[in-house]
Amino acid sequence: MFKQSRFISYGRYQRILVAAICIALASQINFQTYTSGFIITLAVLLLPIFLYFNRDLNPFQLTLAVAVASPIFRGVLLFISQDASANHIIQFTITDMAFYVCYGALYYLIYWRNGQRNNGYFFFTIVLCDYLSNLLEVSLLTGFSHYSYQLFQFLFMAALIRSLGSCSIAFVYHYFTLMLRDENHEQRYYHFVWVASAVKSDVYFMRKNISEIENVMKNAYLLNQQLQQDKVDEKQQDMALSIARDVHEIKKDYQNVIRGLGDYFDDDTSAPMQLADILKVTVNYIREAIKQRHQNIVIEVHNQVDLVVPNHYYVVSILSNLIFNSVDAMDDKANGLIRVTVADDNDQIIINVSDNGSGMDQETLAMIFEPGFTTKFDESTGVVYRGIGLSHVKIITQEQFDGDIQVASKPGQGTDFQVTLSKRRLTQEARS
């Protein structure tokens, strides 16, 4: 049998206890005014802050805990210091409790129970709670007599000043928290765009490879047919047929992966991006990678184009591969510089990615756009590093954006990639 849950969970009880202790301690910062026993304390500055950031708590629970902790704590200190008689200590304690109970009741009725919860309404409620609760406390201390216009003025000014202070602290802190949260969400979104770009590029080429897989399957099947006609050993016939079947299964698995990834990163579910944001996503991600590698490389971005790109994933892939190539070309260069420029040239957009890295000789330049060519490998392990590669970058540039890519480089001086993209294609949806 399930145990009945407690009315106040441990987390809530802990927050109420912390609030009661903090407010009880803050009540010791005070000054006496108007009549004996009536004090203006820092505690009432803290109470609205606790109420603001604990809106899930019933304010009765919080203010009752404060109504017990703060007045009793004050009474004990008065008794120890012998600053008041026993009757006065009891009177001060009771009126203090009345203040917090009244405050909690008003806050509950005016604000917490109401569905309208905004900062302006919260401030209005706090001023009213402070003013009326102070008025009740003074009335209890004076026997509901000796009222004056100056008293009402003083109590309202005290309530207004304390409410302004506490609400300002609460609102400013909440604002900065929201700013940090938005920045976190932005970073997560940028990371998602980066990952999605890598996946969509891979899916793009996986789709292109399906035809090659089908050719392998077809050739294996035709080989089986030829072996049957030539009456070759049945084992070889079965082997050819088995290869055709295995390749067919691989093709089905391949298609399932493409379908799953393609559906998840469907173009219909992605919002267009400003070209400036595409550059920001790419460059910020690579700057973080540079920090982790402890390289001394600066990336400069000069963008003169204001353009919305629906098919932004492929643009991120093109930029990231070119910039990472420049990063890899730096080796341990002391003052690495990568300059990314984007310019409008009538019907075309021209992107230049240049660096002052190691550069390439003519033999390497002639091979860099060939499928499978790479100069990136770990000498200690022999592992080859491959992104989508420059050959794939060229294919995306040509097929998706009716563009082209050119490269100029000199050994020891650096490399410059120039990508030309059709402006019309950049502002259209992706080609299948």
Side-chain angles (χ1 to χ4, degrees):
M1 180 181 291
F2 292 104
K3 293 182 179 179
Q4 185 177 2
S5 60
R6 295 180 180 179
F7 180 67
I8 304 176
S9 66
Y10 174 75
R12 292 185 177 185
Y13 175 79
Q14 188 179 43
R15 283 185 283 161
I16 290 172
L17 184 62
V18 169
I21 293 172
C22 290
I23 292 172
L25 292 174
S27 67
Q28 301 315 301
I29 303 175
N30 63 73
F31 64 93
Q32 186 167 301
T33 183
Y34 187 70
T35 186
S36 177
F38 180 70
I39 57 174
I40 301 295
T41 76
L42 182 64
V44 186
L45 187 71
L46 293 184
L47 181 56
I49 298 174
F50 279 102
L51 290 171
Y52 185 79
F53 289 107
N54 292 276
R55 299 188 188 189
D56 57 318
L57 296 181
N58 188 314
F60 271 140
Q61 300 170 6
L62 183 59
T63 53
L64 284 175
V66 175
V68 172
S70 183
I72 290 179
F73 185 64
R74 179 191 175 195
V76 169
L77 292 181
L78 286 173
F79 178 76
I80 294 173
S81 61
Q82 296 182 348
D83 284 347
S85 65
N87 289 336
H88 280 140
I89 292 174
I90 293 172
Q91 183 188 22
F92 298 159
T93 302
I94 291 173
T95 53
D96 234 2
M97 286 181 172
F99 171 87
Y100 288 110
V101 170
C102 179
Y103 196 109
L106 290 171
Y107 182 84
Y108 174 83
L109 294 172
I110 299 172
Y111 182 81
W112 195 81
R113 198 176 64 170
N114 196 319
Q116 182 183 0
R117 296 188 182 183
N118 56 57
N119 288 346
Y121 194 55
F122 178 82
F123 173 73
F124 167 77
T125 303
I126 294 304
V127 173
L128 199 59
C129 290
D130 194 327
Y131 175 67
L132 294 178
S133 299
N134 268 334
L135 185 59
L136 174 63
E137 184 178 1
V138 170
S139 298
L140 290 173
L141 288 169
T142 60
F144 293 89
S145 61
H146 301 93
Y147 293 117
S148 66
Y149 181 69
Q150 287 75 19
L151 170 65
F152 295 117
Q153 278 187 317
F154 174 76
L155 293 180
F156 181 76
M157 287 301 298
L160 183 63
I161 292 170
R162 287 195 298 196
S163 299
L164 278 171
S166 57
C167 288
S168 297
I169 294 170
F171 297 163
V172 169
Y173 179 80
H174 183 60
Y175 173 74
F176 280 110
T177 303
L178 288 178
M179 284 183 61
L180 291 174
R181 191 179 303 165
D182 288 343
E183 186 177 346
N184 257 345
H185 289 169
E186 184 182 36
Q187 292 301 323
R188 290 178 184 176
Y189 172 69
Y190 285 166
H191 181 70
F192 169 78
V193 171
W194 181 270
V195 172
S197 300
V199 172
K200 281 186 69 70
S201 298
D202 287 339
V203 169
Y204 181 76
F205 292 106
M206 287 171 73
R207 287 196 177 107
K208 294 178 70 68
N209 290 338
I210 284 289
S211 60
E212 297 179 13
I213 293 174
E214 288 175 343
N215 287 334
V216 174
M217 181 179 65
K218 178 181 176 181
N219 290 335
Y221 181 75
L222 291 175
L223 178 61
N224 172 263
Q225 297 288 76
Q226 186 64 43
L227 292 175
Q228 286 181 2
Q229 292 177 6
D230 296 342
K231 298 181 180 180
V232 179
D233 184 25
E234 289 186 3
K235 288 185 178 180
Q236 295 182 4
Q237 296 178 28
D238 293 341
M239 185 179 296
L241 186 60
S242 177
I243 291 172
R245 288 171 179 166
D246 290 344
V247 173
H248 179 68
E249 292 301 317
I250 292 171
K251 175 190 170 184
K252 287 198 301 183
D253 292 340
Y254 212 67
Q255 287 175 324
N256 288 335
V257 171
I258 292 172
R259 191 177 301 111
L261 292 175
D263 290 344
Y264 187 78
F265 295 101
D266 192 349
D267 293 310
D268 294 336
T269 61
S270 61
M273 287 183 68
Q274 290 281 347
L275 186 56
D277 289 332
I278 295 173
L279 288 164
K280 183 178 179 181
V281 169
T282 308
V283 172
N284 284 355
Y285 191 92
I286 296 175
R287 281 172 177 159
E288 289 301 316
I290 290 171
K291 286 181 184 178
Q292 293 175 8
R293 297 183 185 186
H294 305 291
Q295 291 176 286
N296 185 17
I297 300 173
V298 174
I299 303 178
E300 293 182 358
V301 179
H302 304 277
N303 178 29
Q304 303 172 3
V305 179
D306 183 16
L307 201 67
V308 177
V309 183
N311 195 11
H312 54 80
Y313 292 121
Y314 294 132
V315 180
V316 173
S317 294
I318 292 170
L319 287 169
S320 62
N321 273 271
L322 294 180
I323 298 174
F324 264 126
N325 275 337
S326 293
V327 171
D328 293 333
M330 295 298 177
D331 295 327
D332 296 324
K333 193 175 183 66
N335 296 298
L337 174 64
I338 300 171
R339 183 177 287 108
V340 181
T341 61
V342 184
D344 192 329
D345 185 26
N346 297 323
D347 296 334
Q348 296 176 325
I349 299 297
I350 299 176
I351 302 174
N352 277 87
V353 179
S354 59
D355 63 67
N356 61 347
S358 57
M360 293 177 282
D361 55 32
Q362 292 301 314
E363 183 180 354
T364 303
L365 280 174
M367 299 289 292
I368 59 172
F369 294 117
E370 295 296 323
F373 177 80
T374 182
T375 59
K376 302 174 187 177
F377 63 94
D378 190 326
E379 295 181 356
S380 60
T381 63
V383 175
V384 176
Y385 300 113
R386 296 182 188 274
I388 66 170
L390 288 174
S391 64
H392 289 174
V393 168
K394 188 168 186 176
I395 291 171
I396 290 177
T397 301
Q398 293 173 340
E399 294 186 357
Q400 289 294 322
F401 302 112
D402 290 343
D404 198 11
I405 181 170
Q406 303 293 330
V407 59
S409 184
K410 289 184 179 181
Q413 295 186 25
T415 302
D416 178 58
F417 283 96
Q418 184 179 87
V419 180
T420 305
L421 305 175
S422 165
K423 190 185 296 183
R424 177 182 59 84
R425 286 295 305 132
L426 270 174
T427 55
Q428 291 178 355
E429 300 296 332
R431 289 179 179 177
S432 58

